[in-house]
Amino acid sequence: MANLPQSLSMNAAAAFGGPGSSSASPSAAGTQGNKDRKMMSAEQLVLELSNPDLRENALLELSKKREIFQDLAPLLWNSFGTIAALLQEIVSIYPVLSPPNLTPAQSNRVCNALALLQCVASHPDTRMLFLNAHIPLYLYPFLNTTSKSRPFEYLRLTSLGVIGALVKVDDTEVISFLLSTEIIPLCLRTMEMGSELSKTVATFIVQKILLDDVGLDYICTTAERFFAVGRVLGNMVAALAEQPSSRLLKHIIRCYLRLSDNPRACDALRSCLPDMLRDATFSSCLREDPTTRRWLQQLLHNVQGPRVALQAGTGFDHMLVN
């Protein structure tokens, strides 16, 4: 019974006088009844994903309600043909990626499918199954696009959300898998040309990769990898001086700080760390963010040494008071 969908296991428990039986209190029974109805609704919508005529509405309803359906991810994964149907949605728009002819309707539909895959990527019972099936690779063509139109931007952002859900859990196995693919150059591409929000998610993914020892070693193993990341981070800092974004700056500084934990990278940062991080360029941007201010001061300390960091940080003195 442990392998049954939730609604079926509840019904079985009720039949044998278990926790789902009618002997429960009225309020508990009402709550359980609501859960059963929600799960039955989810099961019906998941079944409809396999019907091409009903799929579009099912995608929309499931993506909107995925937060209220408990154990939707295992249901999606274990239901016959469901993951194949989601992948079919993804593959079906490959032909309109180049030349870029993606319509808003096509983008919305495939993004609903991606939202369900993010649900699967987030769930502890399905995350590694999702990874072992190499499903993230189906998203990479979307991250490789360069059109800045809204349908493409929405597609990139939703795809990054799936990868972001994977790296959020701090699992070396996840990081090792992603590093065996082209995720770093794809994220760097988005960090260069995406919207502020997609840049932020892509930078977060790189940050989470760097925070894992395997990821830091990978980036710092060759000068080419380090300078590829450093060049993009530097360009982003320069762009933020014109159009500040505190949440994006936070992830950039955390990436630099983590890079400074590697002796070779730290030595290289002495010459390539942007001057705008050494002076007070972003003082107003960081005024309300004590955590990022501490990260920046620690970065300066690591790269320049305590005495020099103190001199370079004079513009931050008024900001270091919590």
Side-chain angles (χ1 to χ4, degrees):
M1 195 168 73
N3 294 325
L4 291 173
Q6 184 180 1
S7 63
L8 298 181
S9 61
M10 291 297 177
N11 292 340
F16 291 94
S21 69
S22 58
S23 61
S25 67
S27 61
T31 301
Q32 190 58 59
N34 287 336
K35 288 182 178 178
D36 286 350
R37 281 192 294 274
K38 285 179 182 176
M39 204 57 200
M40 288 175 65
S41 173
E43 290 170 359
Q44 181 59 41
L45 288 169
V46 168
L47 286 174
E48 291 175 1
L49 289 175
S50 296
N51 185 332
D53 296 329
L54 302 176
R55 186 180 299 165
E56 184 171 9
N57 179 67
L59 285 171
L60 178 61
E61 291 301 313
L62 281 169
S63 65
K64 286 195 301 186
K65 299 175 181 176
R66 65 187 186 277
E67 300 297 333
I68 65 171
F69 289 144
Q70 281 191 329
D71 293 325
L72 176 59
L75 181 61
L76 290 167
W77 186 263
N78 293 304
S79 300
F80 179 78
T82 300
I83 297 299
L86 296 178
L87 293 179
Q88 188 178 50
E89 289 294 310
I90 288 171
V91 173
S92 69
I93 66 163
Y94 285 173
V96 298
L97 298 180
S98 181
N101 292 310
L102 183 67
T103 67
Q106 289 172 317
S107 178
N108 288 338
R109 178 165 171 161
V110 76
C111 283
N112 288 334
L114 290 170
L116 297 184
L117 289 182
Q118 181 173 340
C119 178
V120 175
S122 302
H123 198 285
D125 293 345
T126 53
R127 181 184 302 113
M128 294 313 300
L129 297 169
F130 179 85
L131 205 64
N132 291 335
H134 291 194
I135 291 178
L137 299 181
Y138 286 90
L139 280 54
Y140 286 8
F142 303 155
L143 300 180
N144 205 31
T145 58
T146 56
S147 172
K148 295 188 178 184
S149 68
R150 186 178 296 272
F152 278 92
E153 179 57 30
Y154 186 29
L155 187 59
R156 277 191 299 270
L157 182 59
T158 313
S159 300
L160 288 167
V162 180
I163 308 299
L166 286 172
V167 300
K168 205 171 183 180
V169 295
D170 300 324
D171 187 329
T172 295
E173 194 171 354
V174 170
I175 301 302
S176 297
F177 168 81
L178 291 175
L179 290 175
S180 71
T181 70
E182 63 267 33
I183 191 61
I184 295 291
L186 288 173
C187 282
L188 293 180
R189 176 190 288 259
T190 301
M191 289 158 67
E192 286 190 296
M193 52 73 61
S195 68
E196 188 259 342
L197 186 54
S198 63
K199 284 181 178 180
T200 301
V201 180
T203 309
F204 168 77
I205 293 169
V206 171
Q207 171 189 318
K208 296 296 283 186
I209 290 172
L210 284 169
L211 287 173
D212 190 279
D213 288 342
V214 169
L216 180 65
D217 289 344
Y218 177 88
I219 297 297
C220 297
T221 293
T222 69
E224 290 79 11
R225 290 176 188 168
F226 168 79
F227 284 112
V229 173
R231 179 184 60 79
V232 173
L233 290 175
N235 290 342
M236 293 172 75
V237 169
L240 286 180
E242 301 294 326
Q243 291 184 307
S245 165
S246 57
R247 63 179 175 180
L248 180 52
L249 181 61
K250 177 177 185 174
H251 293 304
I252 292 171
I253 289 174
R254 190 65 185 93
C255 286
Y256 273 125
L257 177 57
R258 179 55 173 161
L259 286 169
S260 73
D261 289 339
N262 179 277
R264 292 175 62 195
C266 187
D267 186 58
L269 287 172
R270 291 189 171 92
S271 59
C272 70
L273 187 70
D275 289 338
M276 282 173 285
L277 292 179
R278 303 174 192 260
D279 57 32
T281 298
F282 297 107
S283 58
S284 60
C285 191
L286 298 178
R287 184 170 291 115
E288 305 300 324
D289 190 346
T291 299
T292 307
R293 295 202 308 264
R294 285 195 296 270
W295 288 347
L296 181 55
Q297 187 68 4
Q298 184 62 49
L299 170 63
L300 295 173
H301 175 93
N302 292 352
V303 170
Q304 301 171 314
R307 189 161 55 92
V308 182
L310 184 62
Q311 292 174 346
T314 53
F316 294 100
D317 286 348
H318 67 287
M319 297 163 49
L320 293 174
V321 180
N322 292 330

